[in-house]
Each structure stands twice: as structure tokens, then as C-alpha cells.
Amino acid sequence: MKRILLFCSAGMSTSLLVTKMQNAAKAMEMDVSIDAFPEAEMASHLDDADVVLLGPQIRFALGRAKKLCSEKNIPVDVINSMDYGMMDGEKVLKTALKMMENQNREDHP
């Protein structure tokens, strides 16, 4: 099972997006785990993550997130602010899946 983690200021604003992403995954018959946490807890949740996405409101934390995630070979990026604003769970899920696919390509050329 793939694990997608979303981080934002307090872990609350991404909860609706997580639900929409879970619904999109279910519609695509995909077995993924999607959770949201406060950015301050990032280091303690990365062990079994396959991809990390940051809410646009914590874009400033991308440098720290990249440092933490690179140590564990986890792709990380900021969620597109338009997709986030529209709460487009399907599009954000597809972005996360593409990030995992690209990471796998880099790991196994």
C-alpha cells in the first residue's frame, strides 16, 4: 500500500482534501493510505511515507521538508495552490502518484 502524507499549518485545513483524495482513490480502485498532519510533526511521520505534499500556506517549509525527505528518499513538493483551493482531490492524488512513479524511475533506471 502506498502512503501519501500531507502537511499544513495545523493538519486541519488539509483534512477535507484528504477525504476528497481518498474518494478519488476509491473510485480508481487504488489501495492508498492518505493522512494529514501539522508541519511541526513532519519528522515523526516520515518512516513509511511514499510521498509528502505540503499545503500552499506552508510553502516556506519546503526547504526543511526536502532536507528531511531526501534523507529517506521520499519525493516532496508543495500542492498546486489552484488544486488546493478547488479541493481537487483527484488532481492532487494524480500528482502524488506521478511523483512516486518518477521517484521509482530514478531509483531503478
Side-chain angles (χ1 to χ4, degrees):
M1 176 185 300
K2 298 294 182 190
R3 183 140 194 254
I4 301 168
L5 299 183
L6 280 66
F7 292 93
C8 68
S9 298
M12 302 306 271
S13 60
T14 52
S15 61
L16 178 59
L17 184 58
V18 166
T19 300
K20 293 195 175 228
M21 290 173 71
Q22 289 168 335
N23 291 341
K26 190 174 185 179
M28 292 190 275
E29 299 181 358
M30 298 189 68
D31 192 20
V32 296
S33 169
I34 308 166
D35 294 295
F37 299 100
E39 181 266 333
E41 297 178 12
M42 187 181 305
S44 61
H45 291 284
L46 294 178
D47 283 342
D48 53 353
D50 291 296
V51 68
V52 168
L53 295 170
L54 305 181
Q57 71 276 30
I58 62 161
R59 175 179 308 278
F60 65 87
L62 184 59
R64 183 174 94 84
K66 282 185 173 182
K67 184 177 185 306
L68 288 169
C69 292
S70 69
E71 295 168 3
K72 298 178 182 289
N73 207 27
I74 302 167
V76 59
D77 206 351
V78 176
I79 299 168
N80 176 289
S81 50
M82 183 69 82
D83 297 340
Y84 190 89
M86 299 296 289
M87 288 287 140
D88 191 337
E90 182 178 351
K91 199 161 182 191
V92 176
L93 175 63
K94 287 180 178 178
T95 297
L97 296 172
K98 185 119 184 109
M99 289 169 65
M100 283 186 256
E101 186 181 301
N102 290 343
Q103 185 69 29
N104 287 338
R105 247 188 247 126
E106 289 174 17
D107 291 345
H108 306 97

